[in-house]
Amino acid sequence: MTVPPAASLPERPTLRTAEVGAALTAIYSWNYEPEIDQLRTLYANALDRQWIALRELDWEAGIDREALTRTFSMGGLPVAETKFWKGLSFETRWQVSRTSAAFMLSNFLHGEQGALMVAGQLVNAVPHMDGKLYAATQTLDEARHVEVFAAYIQRLGQVFPITPGLQELLDAVIAAPDWKLKAVGMQVVTEGLALYFFRDMRNQTQEPLLKKLLTYVSRDEARHTGYGIKYLGHVVPSVSPKENRELQDFAFECTRNLMASRAANTMRDRVMRMWSDAGVDPNDVLAALAAERDVIGRELARSGGRYGPVSGFIIPTLRALGLYGERTAGLFKQMWTETQGREAADRYASSTAELPEDLEAWVNEGYEAL
Ligand SMILES: [Fe+2]
Ligand SMILES: [Fe+2]
């Protein structure tokens, strides 16, 4: 059964400030006994799996430039596989790879700062002691993520500003008054997508420092997403229909902002400028990629396209939590129809993907020894 698209999507406001009014209600818990066993277990795992960026990663070796250029991709397009790319000088390939990695990782970095602030908020805002203890460990995890992404980007020599879509998302989560909204926006949507992208980038790149860094970070993110799934799984069944609807709306808006942050004109302009700065006419790039579209198409099929992580990860999570009703399904379908066309929208909407049962094992596949 396919769900018809909603009539139209609401307008998205634009915010570009560096300040946002944070909101939450701080809640004491006088019960110090374990109450939600799954969260206590997650807290114990988090304590057990702490790592130290300076000790675990080899910063001395620096970035292997050749390896980074060998797996260059542009918004998921495997450009490094094309004859066009292989025909460019090493200096050009490095310039383009460096700027592109700096752009993407800068937004990961800004996202980590947002996650750090929200994790700190959750210590105050969640009502159970198990949830507070766990959120304290996540706060430290996110501090480490800010540290490692900043350190890697510093070696690329350039930090790009946050994209408007990502900032809107972070502002909305930080300003959300209720902890369940924060958990849906950050733990489920943002960290779910981050986990998916980090893991995918880890699998694709051959740059050793980046590969190891992303493996460590993804292991933490698997726990962060797990927290959202387990905690919300515990409380969502008892919220009112009105609150359930608000949570669903928020999940959709957060997803939409995050996908916009990857797709907006700002990104396309940035990518085009990156090529001209490296001395290559962007029109030549587009023509070359069009000529080698079979190579590109194979890779896109592998990754499920731009919305693969939404239909393959976010929606299965929302469905499992009871936060994916018919109306919300209609909103997602409308978003896909507007951005990808009707055929792609039908394909995404009919996806029956399920979440990996063990997120940590999913991250570790093939990388246990790292
Ligand atoms: Fe993180
Ligand atoms: Fe996280």
Side-chain angles (χ1 to χ4, degrees):
M1 187 190 82
T2 55
V3 179
S8 68
L9 296 174
E11 286 294 312
R12 189 168 344 129
T14 309
L15 295 171
R16 287 176 193 251
T17 56
E19 288 177 14
V20 55
L24 55 84
T25 301
I27 303 177
Y28 294 98
S29 165
W30 305 124
N31 177 24
Y32 297 98
E33 297 300 315
E35 234 176 312
I36 309 173
D37 288 344
Q38 287 180 310
L39 298 189
R40 260 316 148 120
T41 306
L42 216 51
Y43 168 68
N45 288 346
L47 291 181
D48 204 37
R49 294 176 203 169
Q50 292 297 306
W51 50 283
I52 296 175
L54 257 183
R55 198 172 60 197
E56 255 80 37
L57 300 169
D58 182 8
W59 296 98
E60 285 295 307
I63 295 175
D64 180 337
R65 296 183 172 198
E66 208 283 316
L68 195 74
T69 64
R70 217 184 310 137
T71 41
F72 171 72
S73 74
M74 196 170 80
L77 306 179
V79 178
E81 298 299 318
T82 62
K83 288 199 199 83
F84 167 73
W85 177 259
K86 290 170 186 162
L88 297 169
S89 73
F90 177 74
E91 191 46 37
T92 304
R93 278 183 279 133
W94 164 244
Q95 271 320 317
V96 173
S97 304
R98 184 191 68 79
T99 326
S100 160
F103 177 73
M104 198 155 31
L105 294 171
S106 292
N107 279 289
F108 289 172
L109 171 65
H110 302 314
E112 294 292 356
Q113 181 188 170
L116 170 65
M117 297 202 285
V118 173
Q121 288 188 322
L122 289 177
V123 174
N124 287 268
V126 299
H128 303 88
M129 189 50 68
D130 307 305
K132 291 181 187 294
L133 297 182
Y134 170 80
T137 67
Q138 184 172 329
T139 309
L140 181 55
D141 291 347
E142 305 297 9
R144 191 170 41 230
H145 298 176
V146 170
E147 178 196 5
V148 292
F149 278 119
Y152 193 88
I153 292 169
Q154 197 227 343
R155 285 157 178 78
L156 292 170
Q158 196 173 7
V159 181
F160 285 92
I162 189 167
T163 55
L166 180 58
Q167 174 145 22
E168 280 169 38
L169 164 98
L170 295 179
D171 284 358
V173 176
I174 289 169
D178 182 82
W179 75 269
K180 293 181 234 60
L181 290 172
K182 293 182 195 293
V184 163
M186 180 52 68
Q187 308 292 136
V188 171
V189 175
T190 310
E191 309 209 73
L193 279 174
L195 172 61
Y196 195 97
F197 290 134
F198 292 172
R199 178 182 173 276
D200 200 49
M201 192 177 194
R202 187 278 313 270
N203 289 348
Q204 294 309 307
T205 189
Q206 288 176 26
E207 204 291 294
L209 181 57
L210 186 58
K211 205 177 201 50
K212 200 161 179 185
L213 182 159
L214 289 168
T215 299
Y216 276 97
V217 171
S218 303
R219 284 174 186 164
D220 291 346
E221 298 301 351
R223 240 179 2 253
H224 303 173
T225 306
Y227 174 67
I229 295 172
K230 289 178 173 127
Y231 206 170
L232 288 166
H234 187 78
V235 298
V236 166
S238 51
V239 304
S240 69
K242 178 171 171 284
E243 190 174 6
N244 185 297
R245 187 186 162 109
E246 283 165 7
L247 292 172
Q248 293 196 33
D249 284 348
F250 198 63
F252 171 71
E253 275 310 322
C254 289
T255 309
R256 188 180 171 210
N257 269 328
L258 266 184
M259 296 316 289
S261 77
R262 282 170 50 76
N265 288 336
T266 50
M267 183 154 175
R268 197 158 38 239
D269 294 348
R270 183 79 67 193
V271 169
M272 290 301 125
R273 208 174 325 142
M274 185 175 85
W275 284 100
S276 27
D277 287 351
V280 184
D281 184 339
N283 293 319
D284 292 349
V285 178
L286 295 177
L289 296 183
E292 296 191 60
R293 69 169 72 84
D294 48 335
V295 176
I296 307 278
R298 264 202 306 277
E299 173 64 13
L300 276 181
R302 183 201 65 80
S303 66
R306 191 156 71 79
Y307 285 93
V310 175
S311 61
F313 202 90
I314 300 301
I315 290 176
T317 311
L318 295 174
R319 200 181 276 128
L321 289 173
L323 293 175
Y324 192 70
E326 205 169 304
R327 195 178 52 85
T328 303
L331 290 172
F332 275 97
K333 191 160 184 189
Q334 180 71 18
M335 171 177 80
W336 291 321
T337 307
E338 285 178 13
T339 56
Q340 307 283 293
R342 193 165 294 275
E343 196 189 318
D346 285 340
R347 195 173 63 246
Y348 288 127
S350 60
S351 165
T352 52
E354 286 185 29
L355 269 190
E357 211 159 288
D358 182 340
L359 289 176
E360 202 176 318
W362 182 66
V363 165
N364 280 334
E365 269 166 26
Y367 295 86
E368 291 82 358
L370 265 186

